[in-house]
Amino acid sequence: MTRTQLTFLAAGGSFALLAGAFLFQALGYPPCTMCLWQRWPHAAAIVIGALALVIWRPATPLLLLGALAAATTGGIGVFHTGVERGWWDGPASCTGSDAGLGSDLLSTDIAPVVLCDEVVWSLLGLSMASYNALISFALAALWVWAARR
């Protein structure tokens, strides 16, 4: 595969994951705070990929930046998975352990409170955060492969 094809696949993968997140949200699965954190590096990877694709011979550091974006969202996904499984504590602002969360539940805001330590959807025992981590690390490998071409 060429550098351009690999870059297109890596950026396109982030686009697909981000589109999937918005689709799940439209289907009634609102994101928690950590889910939103995972979206930003995908957006960055898409922009980096677009820049790399318009440059005739993209610089290797640009492609490695795409790998860093994909690895970052993968790392957040691993952390989120650990919070969901109770392996470690998550941010107090979005887990059931926050003493002040009850006041948020009484607010008049119509947006639902989504806790980061609860799995709202899973397939084959893996949550959306877990799938994001696995796929994002594969995308990071594609970015690195593109950079080495």
PDB file of all heavy atoms in Angstrom, residues 101-143:
ATOM      1  N   LEU A 101     -22.761  14.539  42.922  1.00  0.00           N
ATOM      2  CA  LEU A 101     -23.514  14.195  41.721  1.00  0.00           C
ATOM      3  C   LEU A 101     -25.009  14.261  41.964  1.00  0.00           C
ATOM      4  O   LEU A 101     -25.767  14.600  41.067  1.00  0.00           O
ATOM      5  CB  LEU A 101     -23.123  12.799  41.230  1.00  0.00           C
ATOM      6  CG  LEU A 101     -23.640  12.387  39.858  1.00  0.00           C
ATOM      7  CD1 LEU A 101     -23.165  13.363  38.804  1.00  0.00           C
ATOM      8  CD2 LEU A 101     -23.199  10.988  39.529  1.00  0.00           C
ATOM      9  N   GLY A 102     -25.449  13.982  43.167  1.00  0.00           N
ATOM     10  CA  GLY A 102     -26.870  14.029  43.472  1.00  0.00           C
ATOM     11  C   GLY A 102     -27.479  15.385  43.179  1.00  0.00           C
ATOM     12  O   GLY A 102     -28.623  15.487  42.749  1.00  0.00           O
ATOM     13  N   SER A 103     -26.718  16.445  43.402  1.00  0.00           N
ATOM     14  CA  SER A 103     -27.240  17.775  43.112  1.00  0.00           C
ATOM     15  C   SER A 103     -27.459  17.953  41.610  1.00  0.00           C
ATOM     16  O   SER A 103     -28.379  18.639  41.189  1.00  0.00           O
ATOM     17  CB  SER A 103     -26.292  18.849  43.652  1.00  0.00           C
ATOM     18  OG  SER A 103     -25.035  18.739  43.019  1.00  0.00           O
ATOM     19  N   ASP A 104     -26.616  17.310  40.788  1.00  0.00           N
ATOM     20  CA  ASP A 104     -26.808  17.374  39.342  1.00  0.00           C
ATOM     21  C   ASP A 104     -28.073  16.644  38.935  1.00  0.00           C
ATOM     22  O   ASP A 104     -28.739  17.031  37.987  1.00  0.00           O
ATOM     23  CB  ASP A 104     -25.613  16.764  38.600  1.00  0.00           C
ATOM     24  CG  ASP A 104     -24.375  17.637  38.694  1.00  0.00           C
ATOM     25  OD1 ASP A 104     -24.518  18.820  39.043  1.00  0.00           O
ATOM     26  OD2 ASP A 104     -23.282  17.112  38.432  1.00  0.00           O
ATOM     27  N   LEU A 105     -28.399  15.576  39.639  1.00  0.00           N
ATOM     28  CA  LEU A 105     -29.587  14.810  39.299  1.00  0.00           C
ATOM     29  C   LEU A 105     -30.862  15.592  39.578  1.00  0.00           C
ATOM     30  O   LEU A 105     -31.905  15.324  38.990  1.00  0.00           O
ATOM     31  CB  LEU A 105     -29.608  13.490  40.084  1.00  0.00           C
ATOM     32  CG  LEU A 105     -28.500  12.503  39.738  1.00  0.00           C
ATOM     33  CD1 LEU A 105     -28.542  11.320  40.689  1.00  0.00           C
ATOM     34  CD2 LEU A 105     -28.617  12.030  38.305  1.00  0.00           C
ATOM     35  N   LEU A 106     -30.780  16.565  40.463  1.00  0.00           N
ATOM     36  CA  LEU A 106     -31.941  17.372  40.791  1.00  0.00           C
ATOM     37  C   LEU A 106     -32.043  18.638  39.953  1.00  0.00           C
ATOM     38  O   LEU A 106     -32.977  19.400  40.107  1.00  0.00           O
ATOM     39  CB  LEU A 106     -31.908  17.754  42.278  1.00  0.00           C
ATOM     40  CG  LEU A 106     -31.969  16.580  43.249  1.00  0.00           C
ATOM     41  CD1 LEU A 106     -31.809  17.083  44.682  1.00  0.00           C
ATOM     42  CD2 LEU A 106     -33.265  15.817  43.092  1.00  0.00           C
ATOM     43  N   SER A 107     -31.094  18.853  39.072  1.00  0.00           N
ATOM     44  CA  SER A 107     -31.119  20.070  38.267  1.00  0.00           C
ATOM     45  C   SER A 107     -32.281  20.028  37.284  1.00  0.00           C
ATOM     46  O   SER A 107     -32.836  18.978  36.979  1.00  0.00           O
ATOM     47  CB  SER A 107     -29.792  20.245  37.530  1.00  0.00           C
ATOM     48  OG  SER A 107     -29.838  19.665  36.277  1.00  0.00           O
ATOM     49  N   THR A 108     -32.633  21.189  36.775  1.00  0.00           N
ATOM     50  CA  THR A 108     -33.739  21.279  35.821  1.00  0.00           C
ATOM     51  C   THR A 108     -33.267  21.107  34.389  1.00  0.00           C
ATOM     52  O   THR A 108     -34.043  21.210  33.460  1.00  0.00           O
ATOM     53  CB  THR A 108     -34.450  22.636  35.961  1.00  0.00           C
ATOM     54  OG1 THR A 108     -33.489  23.680  35.760  1.00  0.00           O
ATOM     55  CG2 THR A 108     -35.085  22.772  37.330  1.00  0.00           C
ATOM     56  N   ASP A 109     -31.987  20.846  34.217  1.00  0.00           N
ATOM     57  CA  ASP A 109     -31.450  20.618  32.877  1.00  0.00           C
ATOM     58  C   ASP A 109     -32.057  19.343  32.304  1.00  0.00           C
ATOM     59  O   ASP A 109     -32.138  18.325  32.974  1.00  0.00           O
ATOM     60  CB  ASP A 109     -29.925  20.490  32.959  1.00  0.00           C
ATOM     61  CG  ASP A 109     -29.257  20.482  31.603  1.00  0.00           C
ATOM     62  OD1 ASP A 109     -29.954  20.679  30.596  1.00  0.00           O
ATOM     63  OD2 ASP A 109     -28.036  20.278  31.572  1.00  0.00           O
ATOM     64  N   ILE A 110     -32.497  19.391  31.037  1.00  0.00           N
ATOM     65  CA  ILE A 110     -33.158  18.224  30.449  1.00  0.00           C
ATOM     66  C   ILE A 110     -32.182  17.199  29.884  1.00  0.00           C
ATOM     67  O   ILE A 110     -32.581  16.116  29.512  1.00  0.00           O
ATOM     68  CB  ILE A 110     -34.164  18.647  29.358  1.00  0.00           C
ATOM     69  CG1 ILE A 110     -33.441  19.392  28.240  1.00  0.00           C
ATOM     70  CG2 ILE A 110     -35.289  19.461  29.945  1.00  0.00           C
ATOM     71  CD1 ILE A 110     -34.288  19.641  27.020  1.00  0.00           C
ATOM     72  N   ALA A 111     -30.904  17.545  29.816  1.00  0.00           N
ATOM     73  CA  ALA A 111     -29.926  16.589  29.303  1.00  0.00           C
ATOM     74  C   ALA A 111     -29.727  15.477  30.331  1.00  0.00           C
ATOM     75  O   ALA A 111     -29.637  15.737  31.528  1.00  0.00           O
ATOM     76  CB  ALA A 111     -28.598  17.284  29.022  1.00  0.00           C
ATOM     77  N   PRO A 112     -29.680  14.234  29.884  1.00  0.00           N
ATOM     78  CA  PRO A 112     -29.509  13.132  30.840  1.00  0.00           C
ATOM     79  C   PRO A 112     -28.103  13.119  31.427  1.00  0.00           C
ATOM     80  O   PRO A 112     -27.148  13.511  30.778  1.00  0.00           O
ATOM     81  CB  PRO A 112     -29.740  11.886  29.978  1.00  0.00           C
ATOM     82  CG  PRO A 112     -29.393  12.313  28.594  1.00  0.00           C
ATOM     83  CD  PRO A 112     -29.761  13.775  28.511  1.00  0.00           C
ATOM     84  N   VAL A 113     -28.011  12.686  32.671  1.00  0.00           N
ATOM     85  CA  VAL A 113     -26.720  12.511  33.316  1.00  0.00           C
ATOM     86  C   VAL A 113     -26.234  11.113  32.968  1.00  0.00           C
ATOM     87  O   VAL A 113     -26.888  10.121  33.281  1.00  0.00           O
ATOM     88  CB  VAL A 113     -26.831  12.680  34.846  1.00  0.00           C
ATOM     89  CG1 VAL A 113     -25.500  12.378  35.511  1.00  0.00           C
ATOM     90  CG2 VAL A 113     -27.297  14.083  35.192  1.00  0.00           C
ATOM     91  N   VAL A 114     -25.120  11.033  32.284  1.00  0.00           N
ATOM     92  CA  VAL A 114     -24.571   9.744  31.879  1.00  0.00           C
ATOM     93  C   VAL A 114     -23.300   9.517  32.681  1.00  0.00           C
ATOM     94  O   VAL A 114     -22.366  10.312  32.623  1.00  0.00           O
ATOM     95  CB  VAL A 114     -24.263   9.722  30.361  1.00  0.00           C
ATOM     96  CG1 VAL A 114     -23.705   8.381  29.958  1.00  0.00           C
ATOM     97  CG2 VAL A 114     -25.503  10.064  29.559  1.00  0.00           C
ATOM     98  N   LEU A 115     -23.286   8.445  33.444  1.00  0.00           N
ATOM     99  CA  LEU A 115     -22.140   8.136  34.279  1.00  0.00           C
ATOM    100  C   LEU A 115     -21.070   7.397  33.483  1.00  0.00           C
ATOM    101  O   LEU A 115     -21.383   6.515  32.684  1.00  0.00           O
ATOM    102  CB  LEU A 115     -22.581   7.294  35.482  1.00  0.00           C
ATOM    103  CG  LEU A 115     -23.593   7.963  36.415  1.00  0.00           C
ATOM    104  CD1 LEU A 115     -24.016   7.006  37.520  1.00  0.00           C
ATOM    105  CD2 LEU A 115     -23.016   9.235  37.001  1.00  0.00           C
ATOM    106  N   CYS A 116     -19.829   7.757  33.731  1.00  0.00           N
ATOM    107  CA  CYS A 116     -18.708   7.158  33.007  1.00  0.00           C
ATOM    108  C   CYS A 116     -18.402   5.736  33.450  1.00  0.00           C
ATOM    109  O   CYS A 116     -17.722   5.000  32.740  1.00  0.00           O
ATOM    110  CB  CYS A 116     -17.454   8.009  33.187  1.00  0.00           C
ATOM    111  SG  CYS A 116     -17.596   9.687  32.544  1.00  0.00           S
ATOM    112  N   ASP A 117     -18.884   5.346  34.619  1.00  0.00           N
ATOM    113  CA  ASP A 117     -18.578   4.008  35.123  1.00  0.00           C
ATOM    114  C   ASP A 117     -19.687   2.998  34.846  1.00  0.00           C
ATOM    115  O   ASP A 117     -19.675   1.901  35.383  1.00  0.00           O
ATOM    116  CB  ASP A 117     -18.232   4.051  36.616  1.00  0.00           C
ATOM    117  CG  ASP A 117     -19.324   4.673  37.469  1.00  0.00           C
ATOM    118  OD1 ASP A 117     -20.332   5.161  36.913  1.00  0.00           O
ATOM    119  OD2 ASP A 117     -19.156   4.698  38.698  1.00  0.00           O
ATOM    120  N   GLU A 118     -20.621   3.351  33.991  1.00  0.00           N
ATOM    121  CA  GLU A 118     -21.685   2.433  33.600  1.00  0.00           C
ATOM    122  C   GLU A 118     -21.600   2.154  32.102  1.00  0.00           C
ATOM    123  O   GLU A 118     -21.470   3.073  31.300  1.00  0.00           O
ATOM    124  CB  GLU A 118     -23.057   3.032  33.930  1.00  0.00           C
ATOM    125  CG  GLU A 118     -23.306   3.161  35.412  1.00  0.00           C
ATOM    126  CD  GLU A 118     -24.677   3.733  35.722  1.00  0.00           C
ATOM    127  OE1 GLU A 118     -25.463   3.963  34.779  1.00  0.00           O
ATOM    128  OE2 GLU A 118     -24.956   3.952  36.909  1.00  0.00           O
ATOM    129  N   VAL A 119     -21.676   0.897  31.728  1.00  0.00           N
ATOM    130  CA  VAL A 119     -21.657   0.504  30.325  1.00  0.00           C
ATOM    131  C   VAL A 119     -23.085   0.619  29.796  1.00  0.00           C
ATOM    132  O   VAL A 119     -23.987  -0.023  30.316  1.00  0.00           O
ATOM    133  CB  VAL A 119     -21.136  -0.944  30.155  1.00  0.00           C
ATOM    134  CG1 VAL A 119     -21.212  -1.383  28.708  1.00  0.00           C
ATOM    135  CG2 VAL A 119     -19.717  -1.052  30.689  1.00  0.00           C
ATOM    136  N   VAL A 120     -23.277   1.445  28.773  1.00  0.00           N
ATOM    137  CA  VAL A 120     -24.628   1.610  28.222  1.00  0.00           C
ATOM    138  C   VAL A 120     -24.872   0.719  27.007  1.00  0.00           C
ATOM    139  O   VAL A 120     -26.008   0.507  26.613  1.00  0.00           O
ATOM    140  CB  VAL A 120     -24.916   3.086  27.861  1.00  0.00           C
ATOM    141  CG1 VAL A 120     -24.886   3.955  29.102  1.00  0.00           C
ATOM    142  CG2 VAL A 120     -23.946   3.594  26.819  1.00  0.00           C
ATOM    143  N   TRP A 121     -23.808   0.193  26.398  1.00  0.00           N
ATOM    144  CA  TRP A 121     -23.922  -0.697  25.249  1.00  0.00           C
ATOM    145  C   TRP A 121     -22.678  -1.563  25.202  1.00  0.00           C
ATOM    146  O   TRP A 121     -21.568  -1.094  25.447  1.00  0.00           O
ATOM    147  CB  TRP A 121     -24.044   0.120  23.956  1.00  0.00           C
ATOM    148  CG  TRP A 121     -24.171  -0.703  22.720  1.00  0.00           C
ATOM    149  CD1 TRP A 121     -25.338  -1.113  22.150  1.00  0.00           C
ATOM    150  CD2 TRP A 121     -23.118  -1.219  21.897  1.00  0.00           C
ATOM    151  NE1 TRP A 121     -25.072  -1.845  21.027  1.00  0.00           N
ATOM    152  CE2 TRP A 121     -23.715  -1.931  20.837  1.00  0.00           C
ATOM    153  CE3 TRP A 121     -21.737  -1.157  21.953  1.00  0.00           C
ATOM    154  CZ2 TRP A 121     -22.972  -2.561  19.853  1.00  0.00           C
ATOM    155  CZ3 TRP A 121     -20.988  -1.785  20.972  1.00  0.00           C
ATOM    156  CH2 TRP A 121     -21.618  -2.480  19.932  1.00  0.00           C
ATOM    157  N   SER A 122     -22.875  -2.838  24.889  1.00  0.00           N
ATOM    158  CA  SER A 122     -21.720  -3.719  24.726  1.00  0.00           C
ATOM    159  C   SER A 122     -22.037  -4.788  23.692  1.00  0.00           C
ATOM    160  O   SER A 122     -23.200  -5.089  23.426  1.00  0.00           O
ATOM    161  CB  SER A 122     -21.317  -4.359  26.058  1.00  0.00           C
ATOM    162  OG  SER A 122     -22.301  -5.261  26.487  1.00  0.00           O
ATOM    163  N   LEU A 123     -20.986  -5.346  23.132  1.00  0.00           N
ATOM    164  CA  LEU A 123     -21.093  -6.439  22.173  1.00  0.00           C
ATOM    165  C   LEU A 123     -19.949  -7.401  22.463  1.00  0.00           C
ATOM    166  O   LEU A 123     -18.784  -6.980  22.540  1.00  0.00           O
ATOM    167  CB  LEU A 123     -21.003  -5.908  20.732  1.00  0.00           C
ATOM    168  CG  LEU A 123     -21.034  -6.949  19.618  1.00  0.00           C
ATOM    169  CD1 LEU A 123     -22.398  -7.638  19.568  1.00  0.00           C
ATOM    170  CD2 LEU A 123     -20.731  -6.301  18.283  1.00  0.00           C
ATOM    171  N   LEU A 124     -20.290  -8.660  22.674  1.00  0.00           N
ATOM    172  CA  LEU A 124     -19.297  -9.693  22.987  1.00  0.00           C
ATOM    173  C   LEU A 124     -18.480  -9.337  24.229  1.00  0.00           C
ATOM    174  O   LEU A 124     -17.282  -9.619  24.305  1.00  0.00           O
ATOM    175  CB  LEU A 124     -18.373  -9.930  21.786  1.00  0.00           C
ATOM    176  CG  LEU A 124     -19.057 -10.335  20.476  1.00  0.00           C
ATOM    177  CD1 LEU A 124     -18.051 -10.405  19.344  1.00  0.00           C
ATOM    178  CD2 LEU A 124     -19.788 -11.668  20.634  1.00  0.00           C
ATOM    179  N   GLY A 125     -19.129  -8.677  25.175  1.00  0.00           N
ATOM    180  CA  GLY A 125     -18.475  -8.333  26.431  1.00  0.00           C
ATOM    181  C   GLY A 125     -17.600  -7.096  26.389  1.00  0.00           C
ATOM    182  O   GLY A 125     -16.962  -6.766  27.385  1.00  0.00           O
ATOM    183  N   LEU A 126     -17.552  -6.420  25.258  1.00  0.00           N
ATOM    184  CA  LEU A 126     -16.740  -5.207  25.142  1.00  0.00           C
ATOM    185  C   LEU A 126     -17.643  -3.988  24.964  1.00  0.00           C
ATOM    186  O   LEU A 126     -18.604  -4.016  24.191  1.00  0.00           O
ATOM    187  CB  LEU A 126     -15.777  -5.309  23.962  1.00  0.00           C
ATOM    188  CG  LEU A 126     -14.727  -6.408  24.035  1.00  0.00           C
ATOM    189  CD1 LEU A 126     -13.901  -6.447  22.759  1.00  0.00           C
ATOM    190  CD2 LEU A 126     -13.830  -6.228  25.245  1.00  0.00           C
ATOM    191  N   SER A 127     -17.303  -2.921  25.666  1.00  0.00           N
ATOM    192  CA  SER A 127     -18.071  -1.682  25.575  1.00  0.00           C
ATOM    193  C   SER A 127     -17.592  -0.849  24.390  1.00  0.00           C
ATOM    194  O   SER A 127     -16.594  -1.170  23.735  1.00  0.00           O
ATOM    195  CB  SER A 127     -17.893  -0.870  26.859  1.00  0.00           C
ATOM    196  OG  SER A 127     -16.557  -0.404  26.958  1.00  0.00           O
ATOM    197  N   MET A 128     -18.296   0.234  24.143  1.00  0.00           N
ATOM    198  CA  MET A 128     -17.878   1.144  23.075  1.00  0.00           C
ATOM    199  C   MET A 128     -16.480   1.692  23.347  1.00  0.00           C
ATOM    200  O   MET A 128     -15.685   1.844  22.418  1.00  0.00           O
ATOM    201  CB  MET A 128     -18.887   2.292  22.925  1.00  0.00           C
ATOM    202  CG  MET A 128     -20.162   1.883  22.240  1.00  0.00           C
ATOM    203  SD  MET A 128     -21.243   3.276  21.870  1.00  0.00           S
ATOM    204  CE  MET A 128     -22.226   3.299  23.358  1.00  0.00           C
ATOM    205  N   ALA A 129     -16.172   1.970  24.604  1.00  0.00           N
ATOM    206  CA  ALA A 129     -14.837   2.466  24.953  1.00  0.00           C
ATOM    207  C   ALA A 129     -13.770   1.423  24.619  1.00  0.00           C
ATOM    208  O   ALA A 129     -12.687   1.760  24.115  1.00  0.00           O
ATOM    209  CB  ALA A 129     -14.776   2.832  26.432  1.00  0.00           C
ATOM    210  N   SER A 130     -14.075   0.157  24.866  1.00  0.00           N
ATOM    211  CA  SER A 130     -13.124  -0.917  24.559  1.00  0.00           C
ATOM    212  C   SER A 130     -12.899  -1.034  23.058  1.00  0.00           C
ATOM    213  O   SER A 130     -11.753  -1.178  22.601  1.00  0.00           O
ATOM    214  CB  SER A 130     -13.649  -2.251  25.102  1.00  0.00           C
ATOM    215  OG  SER A 130     -13.843  -2.196  26.487  1.00  0.00           O
ATOM    216  N   TYR A 131     -13.986  -0.994  22.291  1.00  0.00           N
ATOM    217  CA  TYR A 131     -13.844  -1.050  20.833  1.00  0.00           C
ATOM    218  C   TYR A 131     -13.077   0.155  20.311  1.00  0.00           C
ATOM    219  O   TYR A 131     -12.246   0.034  19.408  1.00  0.00           O
ATOM    220  CB  TYR A 131     -15.212  -1.166  20.147  1.00  0.00           C
ATOM    221  CG  TYR A 131     -15.759  -2.563  20.191  1.00  0.00           C
ATOM    222  CD1 TYR A 131     -16.820  -2.894  21.022  1.00  0.00           C
ATOM    223  CD2 TYR A 131     -15.194  -3.583  19.422  1.00  0.00           C
ATOM    224  CE1 TYR A 131     -17.320  -4.189  21.076  1.00  0.00           C
ATOM    225  CE2 TYR A 131     -15.680  -4.878  19.480  1.00  0.00           C
ATOM    226  CZ  TYR A 131     -16.746  -5.169  20.305  1.00  0.00           C
ATOM    227  OH  TYR A 131     -17.223  -6.459  20.359  1.00  0.00           O
ATOM    228  N   ASN A 132     -13.351   1.326  20.889  1.00  0.00           N
ATOM    229  CA  ASN A 132     -12.615   2.511  20.460  1.00  0.00           C
ATOM    230  C   ASN A 132     -11.119   2.320  20.699  1.00  0.00           C
ATOM    231  O   ASN A 132     -10.299   2.657  19.833  1.00  0.00           O
ATOM    232  CB  ASN A 132     -13.107   3.762  21.199  1.00  0.00           C
ATOM    233  CG  ASN A 132     -12.318   4.991  20.807  1.00  0.00           C
ATOM    234  OD1 ASN A 132     -12.351   5.424  19.658  1.00  0.00           O
ATOM    235  ND2 ASN A 132     -11.581   5.540  21.743  1.00  0.00           N
ATOM    236  N   ALA A 133     -10.762   1.776  21.849  1.00  0.00           N
ATOM    237  CA  ALA A 133      -9.345   1.569  22.152  1.00  0.00           C
ATOM    238  C   ALA A 133      -8.700   0.608  21.158  1.00  0.00           C
ATOM    239  O   ALA A 133      -7.645   0.914  20.573  1.00  0.00           O
ATOM    240  CB  ALA A 133      -9.185   1.047  23.580  1.00  0.00           C
ATOM    241  N   LEU A 134      -9.327  -0.530  20.936  1.00  0.00           N
ATOM    242  CA  LEU A 134      -8.754  -1.527  20.022  1.00  0.00           C
ATOM    243  C   LEU A 134      -8.590  -0.986  18.605  1.00  0.00           C
ATOM    244  O   LEU A 134      -7.521  -1.118  17.990  1.00  0.00           O
ATOM    245  CB  LEU A 134      -9.638  -2.777  20.007  1.00  0.00           C
ATOM    246  CG  LEU A 134      -9.680  -3.597  21.291  1.00  0.00           C
ATOM    247  CD1 LEU A 134     -10.757  -4.672  21.207  1.00  0.00           C
ATOM    248  CD2 LEU A 134      -8.317  -4.214  21.571  1.00  0.00           C
ATOM    249  N   ILE A 135      -9.643  -0.376  18.101  1.00  0.00           N
ATOM    250  CA  ILE A 135      -9.593   0.123  16.721  1.00  0.00           C
ATOM    251  C   ILE A 135      -8.632   1.305  16.615  1.00  0.00           C
ATOM    252  O   ILE A 135      -7.893   1.427  15.634  1.00  0.00           O
ATOM    253  CB  ILE A 135     -11.009   0.485  16.225  1.00  0.00           C
ATOM    254  CG1 ILE A 135     -11.881  -0.770  16.181  1.00  0.00           C
ATOM    255  CG2 ILE A 135     -10.957   1.148  14.852  1.00  0.00           C
ATOM    256  CD1 ILE A 135     -13.370  -0.503  15.987  1.00  0.00           C
ATOM    257  N   SER A 136      -8.603   2.154  17.619  1.00  0.00           N
ATOM    258  CA  SER A 136      -7.716   3.316  17.585  1.00  0.00           C
ATOM    259  C   SER A 136      -6.249   2.912  17.587  1.00  0.00           C
ATOM    260  O   SER A 136      -5.428   3.530  16.900  1.00  0.00           O
ATOM    261  CB  SER A 136      -8.011   4.246  18.757  1.00  0.00           C
ATOM    262  OG  SER A 136      -9.305   4.789  18.632  1.00  0.00           O
ATOM    263  N   PHE A 137      -5.896   1.881  18.349  1.00  0.00           N
ATOM    264  CA  PHE A 137      -4.507   1.414  18.324  1.00  0.00           C
ATOM    265  C   PHE A 137      -4.153   0.815  16.966  1.00  0.00           C
ATOM    266  O   PHE A 137      -3.026   0.979  16.482  1.00  0.00           O
ATOM    267  CB  PHE A 137      -4.239   0.428  19.461  1.00  0.00           C
ATOM    268  CG  PHE A 137      -4.207   1.079  20.821  1.00  0.00           C
ATOM    269  CD1 PHE A 137      -4.877   0.506  21.889  1.00  0.00           C
ATOM    270  CD2 PHE A 137      -3.518   2.262  21.038  1.00  0.00           C
ATOM    271  CE1 PHE A 137      -4.851   1.097  23.147  1.00  0.00           C
ATOM    272  CE2 PHE A 137      -3.487   2.868  22.285  1.00  0.00           C
ATOM    273  CZ  PHE A 137      -4.165   2.284  23.343  1.00  0.00           C
ATOM    274  N   ALA A 138      -5.111   0.162  16.315  1.00  0.00           N
ATOM    275  CA  ALA A 138      -4.878  -0.329  14.950  1.00  0.00           C
ATOM    276  C   ALA A 138      -4.685   0.842  13.991  1.00  0.00           C
ATOM    277  O   ALA A 138      -3.818   0.799  13.103  1.00  0.00           O
ATOM    278  CB  ALA A 138      -6.043  -1.214  14.497  1.00  0.00           C
ATOM    279  N   LEU A 139      -5.471   1.905  14.178  1.00  0.00           N
ATOM    280  CA  LEU A 139      -5.310   3.097  13.336  1.00  0.00           C
ATOM    281  C   LEU A 139      -3.957   3.756  13.583  1.00  0.00           C
ATOM    282  O   LEU A 139      -3.318   4.231  12.642  1.00  0.00           O
ATOM    283  CB  LEU A 139      -6.444   4.093  13.597  1.00  0.00           C
ATOM    284  CG  LEU A 139      -7.841   3.638  13.185  1.00  0.00           C
ATOM    285  CD1 LEU A 139      -8.884   4.665  13.600  1.00  0.00           C
ATOM    286  CD2 LEU A 139      -7.915   3.367  11.690  1.00  0.00           C
ATOM    287  N   ALA A 140      -3.511   3.770  14.833  1.00  0.00           N
ATOM    288  CA  ALA A 140      -2.183   4.330  15.134  1.00  0.00           C
ATOM    289  C   ALA A 140      -1.103   3.546  14.392  1.00  0.00           C
ATOM    290  O   ALA A 140      -0.147   4.125  13.862  1.00  0.00           O
ATOM    291  CB  ALA A 140      -1.930   4.309  16.642  1.00  0.00           C
ATOM    292  N   ALA A 141      -1.261   2.230  14.328  1.00  0.00           N
ATOM    293  CA  ALA A 141      -0.302   1.406  13.588  1.00  0.00           C
ATOM    294  C   ALA A 141      -0.325   1.750  12.102  1.00  0.00           C
ATOM    295  O   ALA A 141       0.737   1.790  11.454  1.00  0.00           O
ATOM    296  CB  ALA A 141      -0.605  -0.075  13.800  1.00  0.00           C
ATOM    297  N   LEU A 142      -1.510   2.030  11.553  1.00  0.00           N
ATOM    298  CA  LEU A 142      -1.592   2.441  10.142  1.00  0.00           C
ATOM    299  C   LEU A 142      -0.858   3.758   9.924  1.00  0.00           C
ATOM    300  O   LEU A 142      -0.170   3.930   8.909  1.00  0.00           O
ATOM    301  CB  LEU A 142      -3.051   2.590   9.703  1.00  0.00           C
ATOM    302  CG  LEU A 142      -3.829   1.311   9.423  1.00  0.00           C
ATOM    303  CD1 LEU A 142      -5.280   1.629   9.097  1.00  0.00           C
ATOM    304  CD2 LEU A 142      -3.185   0.527   8.285  1.00  0.00           C
ATOM    305  N   TRP A 143      -1.024   4.695  10.846  1.00  0.00           N
ATOM    306  CA  TRP A 143      -0.320   5.989  10.742  1.00  0.00           C
ATOM    307  C   TRP A 143       1.203   5.774  10.735  1.00  0.00           C
ATOM    308  O   TRP A 143       1.919   6.380   9.939  1.00  0.00           O
ATOM    309  CB  TRP A 143      -0.716   6.899  11.884  1.00  0.00           C
ATOM    310  CG  TRP A 143      -2.028   7.603  11.754  1.00  0.00           C
ATOM    311  CD1 TRP A 143      -3.179   7.314  12.409  1.00  0.00           C
ATOM    312  CD2 TRP A 143      -2.323   8.723  10.909  1.00  0.00           C
ATOM    313  NE1 TRP A 143      -4.167   8.195  12.038  1.00  0.00           N
ATOM    314  CE2 TRP A 143      -3.669   9.052  11.111  1.00  0.00           C
ATOM    315  CE3 TRP A 143      -1.568   9.473  10.007  1.00  0.00           C
ATOM    316  CZ2 TRP A 143      -4.294  10.116  10.456  1.00  0.00           C
ATOM    317  CZ3 TRP A 143      -2.184  10.531   9.343  1.00  0.00           C
ATOM    318  CH2 TRP A 143      -3.529  10.838   9.571  1.00  0.00           C
TER     319      TRP A 143
END
